[in-house]
Amino acid sequence: MDKNLIAHNRKILILLIVSFSLLTFLSSFFSYLNTREDTEVFRYFIMDEIKSVIRSEVYNTYDHLNYDLSKIEAEERVKIKNKIDMLYVIYNSIDVSGISLEKRQLTLLEALKQVDENDPDTNYFAINSEGELMRSETDNNFNGIEYTDLSRLVGKENVNDILAAIQKDDGVFFTYKWPKVKEGIPLDKISYCRYFSGYDLIVATGKYNEDIDRQLQAETFDRISNFYKEEDLYLFILDYDGTVLVHPDKSLIGNTFYELDNKEGIIAHEAMMTVIKDTGEGFVEYKFNKKNSDIISKKVTYVKNIDKWNVYIGMGFYLDDIEAEIQKQTTVFLRKKIIEFLLILIVFIITAVFLTFMIRKGFRLQKQQIKEDEVVFTELFQTSNQGLVIVTLNGKVLFSNRKAVSILSSQIAKRFGINGILKGEHLSENRVSILLDDGERRYLDYQRREFNYLNRNVYIYYLTDITEDFISMNNLKEQALNDPLTGLPNRRQLNSDFKKLRNRLNGKTSICLTMLDIDHFKNVNDTFGHETGDKILKLLADVFTSHSRSSDRLYRYGGEEFVLCLKEVNTQKAINIINRIKDDFGRKSMGLTGESITFSAGLINLNETKMKYSLPELLKLCDELLYRAKRNGRNSIETDQ
């Protein structure tokens, strides 16, 4: 009793030590796994932060550009207004009394010509109060055209806006389209006009929006290039043709952005243009040279469209730069975890040594008890009603009872593989078919369990012989799917096969479906008897078998009706195959009845549209063609083509 108590306490002590060591080890292991997870979280955080930064930079530049455009437009408005106001002050102060209106107008028009020559960037034009163009800004051929023609050129509303200056002391701004040069394309222009009452002329000048944009574009490009000159993260601008307009690497400006080989092999510019066309902005991945380097690295870039210039702006970062920073932080963190793990490992090793000592001591005390238990185990093992086999994890058979030997035959070691797996044809997860040495096939249900036997891990197999039940069950299944008279698969098998066939279709497989019906079969039964009729049905099955390929299938659909499925054939080839069967069937049937028996057929080719139909719908199409063949005199084939 005392010895048993000591042994019991020893087991509790060993269990506590093992549990502590295992928990300590698992804690360290999961801590290491958490470190890897934390690294991934850190990686995603850094990636999101940098993506947010570059997206903000692109948006800030885009907003700054719009602000600059508004600012320049406002400045240009002030400039062109000042030019007109200066002329107004000068010529409004001149005493023109006693001078004819015509001479006054010629004087002002000549002055405008002189101002144009002195200021090439400015073009003045003048309109009288009747809406007649007295001086054109770019083409003298327009001089003298009247209100109606001028309205047709620039729009009636624009002409009326100009004439409205007559009623306003301070003049008006207006926008319109006018060519830069003779016969040029009309471009958007903003102008300011003021009425010179002493001359009965409205004088105006302006600036083309294109020139304002060009000024802003040049200033913007220069500002971006200088600002990001020394930065690792930089903005670039490309036009829709892939030409580099802005880049801190001056050698790239003016060249085509042609770098290749993001992992799909797409040209970087094309990848960015795809985003621009689809959404106007977004992230894109590609490979490109690092700044001032020949090193090609994967890059993530945010691009945004500037549609009025037909360009896009972008900023990106290189993934390997991010990975280098992440790796640096991860190394520091892992070093700390490794030290913790090593300390825990030392404790675990000490515990394991102590545990080994305790187990060896206990083993000596319990060795005799194990031998006694072994005798009891062997007796129970041999008297079991199930076949029992103990196999090592390497496939060596340690024990097998008499029932297992009767099931697997005497050479039982041959039935297990090197991994302790029961060899044979596995029919399901726990069912196997085994061919014995004498050629007999056995069907077994089995369960496999892993356990510790004599301080080693082994498998124990529980075997049940189900050969008789399995064969009986499969014979019933075969009978359910085959016609007992002809041996052909029946309607149930047709339904099952067609579902599998439809699932395997790839759009390239050509299939012809045919319904056959023996002509005047009732007369055969009435004249020669049902026994001969049955022979005729079996004859058709035999003739088909002699002419068929391995992929062809003939099904007895019911009575004298059959369904034929031919793969990888077009309509004409299918007709040829059926005609060969029909001719051979006709010749051989004469030996049974003294006359040639024929059949009629309805054939359809299952194209992509028809394969969407259900089997009953397809058979209905075949049946309609079959009855057309019957109406047309029988012994023929009707198709859907």
Side-chain angles (χ1 to χ4, degrees):
M1 184 66 179
D2 292 339
K3 291 183 178 179
N4 291 335
L5 183 61
I6 292 172
H8 180 69
N9 290 336
R10 185 186 297 118
K11 290 178 181 179
I12 294 176
L13 178 62
I14 292 173
L15 181 61
L16 289 174
I17 294 173
V18 170
S19 300
F20 173 76
S21 300
L22 183 59
L23 288 174
T24 304
F25 177 79
L26 290 176
S27 175
S28 301
F29 179 72
F30 285 117
S31 177
Y32 172 74
L33 293 182
N34 288 336
T35 301
R36 298 182 63 184
E37 293 177 1
D38 292 342
T39 300
E40 288 302 312
V41 171
F42 182 63
R43 175 180 287 105
Y44 288 126
F45 173 77
I46 292 296
M47 291 283 285
D48 288 343
E49 283 295 306
I50 295 182
K51 281 186 174 182
S52 178
V53 168
I54 64 173
R55 186 177 182 276
S56 296
E57 284 290 311
V58 171
Y59 261 91
N60 289 341
T61 301
Y62 183 81
D63 293 340
H64 198 287
L65 184 149
N66 286 329
Y67 171 77
D68 286 348
L69 178 60
S70 300
K71 181 180 177 182
I72 290 176
E73 287 177 347
E75 292 173 351
E76 291 301 324
R77 280 174 174 257
V78 173
K79 289 179 183 178
I80 60 179
K81 183 178 184 301
N82 288 341
K83 289 181 180 181
I84 295 296
D85 288 347
M86 186 181 298
L87 283 174
Y88 182 82
V89 170
I90 293 172
Y91 284 92
N92 199 46
S93 63
I94 298 175
D95 183 9
V96 293
S97 59
I99 303 175
S100 68
L101 179 61
E102 182 178 357
K103 287 185 178 180
R104 279 180 269 162
Q105 289 179 341
L106 288 174
T107 301
L108 183 54
L109 293 174
E110 185 63 29
L112 295 178
K113 179 180 179 182
Q114 186 64 39
V115 174
D116 279 350
E117 291 175 352
N118 294 333
D119 185 3
D121 293 333
T122 305
N123 297 107
Y124 293 86
F125 63 95
I127 299 176
N128 65 21
S129 59
E130 301 298 325
E132 179 183 357
L133 183 64
M134 302 298 292
R135 183 178 192 274
S136 169
E137 52 192 315
T138 57
D139 189 348
N140 292 332
N141 290 334
F142 291 131
N143 292 347
I145 65 174
E146 297 181 354
Y147 173 82
T148 301
D149 292 329
L150 183 59
S151 297
R152 179 171 47 81
L153 284 173
V154 299
K156 185 176 180 179
E157 292 181 359
N158 289 325
V159 177
N160 290 337
D161 287 343
I162 299 172
L163 295 177
I166 298 174
Q167 307 299 327
K168 296 185 178 182
D169 293 338
D170 198 34
V172 294
F173 281 97
F174 62 97
T175 58
Y176 60 102
K177 289 184 179 290
W178 193 262
K180 274 191 172 184
V181 296
K182 184 177 181 180
E183 298 181 0
I185 299 174
L187 302 173
D188 290 332
K189 187 173 185 179
I190 182 170
S191 291
Y192 176 78
C193 65
R194 192 166 184 179
Y195 181 57
F196 289 59
S197 57
Y199 301 85
D200 192 31
L201 288 176
I202 300 170
V203 179
T205 189
K207 193 158 188 177
Y208 289 97
N209 291 349
E210 180 185 75
D211 294 335
I212 297 175
D213 272 348
R214 185 179 294 109
Q215 176 185 344
L216 173 61
Q217 199 169 353
E219 293 176 1
T220 300
F221 290 179
D222 185 63
R223 174 172 56 81
I224 292 175
S225 294
N226 291 329
F227 183 80
Y228 292 101
K229 188 174 182 180
E230 304 299 330
E231 300 291 329
D232 291 331
L233 291 176
Y234 58 86
L235 280 165
F236 63 85
I237 298 179
L238 275 68
D239 66 17
Y240 288 171
D241 294 328
T243 302
V244 180
L245 303 177
V246 174
H247 198 283
D249 186 349
K250 302 298 184 183
S251 65
L252 295 178
I253 296 177
N255 294 327
T256 301
F257 193 83
Y258 60 87
E259 291 292 337
L260 290 171
D261 199 19
N262 64 0
K263 65 183 179 181
E264 292 84 10
I266 303 172
I267 297 176
H269 169 62
E270 291 183 358
M272 289 187 280
M273 282 302 296
T274 299
V275 172
I276 294 300
K277 291 176 181 177
D278 289 345
T279 58
E281 60 184 274
F283 285 98
V284 62
E285 292 186 7
Y286 58 95
K287 288 186 178 180
F288 194 68
N289 292 63
K290 284 194 169 183
K291 183 179 177 182
N292 300 321
S293 171
D294 293 330
I295 299 174
I296 296 178
S297 181
K298 193 171 184 180
K299 190 173 186 181
V300 177
T301 293
Y302 190 84
V303 293
K304 182 171 178 58
N305 187 28
I306 307 177
D307 53 0
K308 62 186 173 185
W309 291 351
N310 289 332
V311 303
Y312 60 88
I313 186 170
M315 172 178 271
F317 62 92
Y318 292 96
L319 292 180
D320 55 359
D321 292 339
I322 305 302
E323 289 299 326
E325 179 62 25
I326 292 172
Q327 188 62 40
K328 179 181 176 182
Q329 297 298 326
T330 302
T331 300
V332 173
F333 191 65
L334 280 177
R335 187 179 294 116
K336 179 181 177 181
K337 289 296 180 182
I338 289 172
I339 293 173
E340 293 177 359
F341 178 75
L342 289 175
L343 291 174
I344 294 173
L345 184 61
I346 291 171
V347 174
F348 179 78
I349 292 173
I350 293 172
T351 303
V353 170
F354 177 74
L355 177 62
T356 301
F357 171 78
M358 295 298 295
I359 290 175
R360 292 184 64 183
K361 184 176 180 180
F363 178 75
R364 288 194 299 269
L365 297 174
Q366 297 177 9
K367 189 174 182 180
Q368 183 61 39
Q369 183 65 43
I370 290 174
K371 290 182 178 180
E372 294 174 0
D373 292 343
E374 225 174 29
V375 173
V376 177
F377 171 79
T378 302
E379 183 64 25
L380 294 174
F381 187 79
Q382 290 294 349
T383 57
S384 173
N385 291 326
Q386 281 187 300
L388 300 178
V389 182
I390 296 179
V391 186
T392 67
L393 302 187
N394 293 326
K396 180 181 179 181
V397 176
L398 298 180
F399 298 101
S400 58
N401 67 0
R402 288 183 288 271
K403 186 66 175 179
V405 174
S406 68
I407 294 173
L408 297 176
S409 80
S410 58
Q411 295 182 331
I412 205 166
K414 294 171 53 178
R415 312 304 174 195
F416 294 89
I418 59 174
N419 295 321
I421 304 300
L422 180 60
K423 294 192 293 187
E425 180 184 353
H426 286 263
L427 307 177
S428 63
E429 183 178 359
N430 294 310
R431 181 165 294 178
V432 66
S433 169
I434 296 177
L435 185 63
L436 302 181
D437 295 335
D438 58 3
E440 181 184 357
R441 183 168 292 277
R442 293 281 177 85
Y443 297 91
L444 310 178
D445 276 349
Y446 70 92
Q447 295 293 327
R448 187 183 72 178
R449 299 285 185 269
E450 184 176 347
F451 75 107
N452 187 277
Y453 177 70
L454 299 180
N455 294 325
R456 66 192 300 186
N457 288 335
V458 297
Y459 294 131
I460 181 169
Y461 279 86
Y462 302 86
L463 307 176
T464 303
D465 189 352
I466 61 164
T467 302
E468 292 184 4
D469 292 341
F470 183 85
I471 292 174
S472 176
M473 179 183 67
N474 280 275
N475 285 340
L476 290 175
K477 182 178 179 181
E478 182 177 355
Q479 292 172 16
L481 297 177
N482 287 278
D483 174 48
L485 175 64
T486 62
L488 294 173
N490 60 16
R491 185 183 300 192
R492 291 191 190 90
Q493 188 66 55
L494 171 61
N495 290 332
S496 175
D497 289 351
F498 193 78
K499 289 178 183 177
K500 297 176 183 176
L501 178 64
R502 188 194 296 273
N503 293 336
R504 288 198 296 267
L505 286 178
N506 56 15
K508 299 179 181 179
T509 304
S510 175
I511 299 175
C512 286
L513 193 67
T514 307
M515 181 167 279
L516 311 176
D517 186 276
I518 299 177
D519 296 329
H520 302 297
F521 187 69
K522 184 177 183 303
N523 292 341
V524 173
N525 280 331
D526 293 343
T527 304
F528 302 102
H530 287 282
E531 183 178 350
T532 301
D534 290 346
K535 291 180 180 180
I536 290 296
L537 295 175
K538 288 190 284 186
L539 176 63
L540 180 57
D542 293 340
V543 170
F544 165 77
T545 302
S546 65
H547 287 276
S548 65
R549 303 165 301 166
S550 60
S551 60
D552 298 336
R553 292 289 183 274
L554 181 66
Y555 303 85
R556 187 177 181 191
Y557 195 68
E560 67 273 23
E561 287 186 325
F562 296 81
V563 173
L564 176 60
C565 183
L566 301 175
K567 300 179 188 176
E568 302 296 341
V569 295
N570 56 29
T571 300
Q572 186 56 52
K573 189 171 181 180
I575 291 173
N576 293 340
I577 292 172
I578 296 171
N579 279 330
R580 287 197 298 271
I581 295 172
K582 188 149 62 68
D583 292 344
D584 195 15
F585 175 66
R587 286 192 301 272
K588 291 180 178 179
S589 62
M590 291 185 68
L592 295 174
T593 63
E595 59 184 54
S596 177
I597 306 298
T598 63
F599 61 76
S600 301
L603 182 149
I604 61 173
N605 191 305
L606 303 188
N607 54 30
E608 186 174 351
T609 300
K610 287 193 179 72
M611 281 311 298
K612 297 177 182 177
Y613 296 171
S614 66
L615 179 60
E617 290 172 333
L618 294 172
L619 292 177
K620 183 179 178 182
L621 295 176
C622 292
D623 195 47
E624 291 172 355
L625 293 169
L626 170 62
Y627 277 96
R628 187 195 299 173
K630 293 284 189 180
R631 289 194 302 269
N632 291 339
R634 294 180 169 81
N635 193 23
S636 62
I637 304 169
E638 289 290 337
T639 72
D640 58 347
Q641 296 182 358

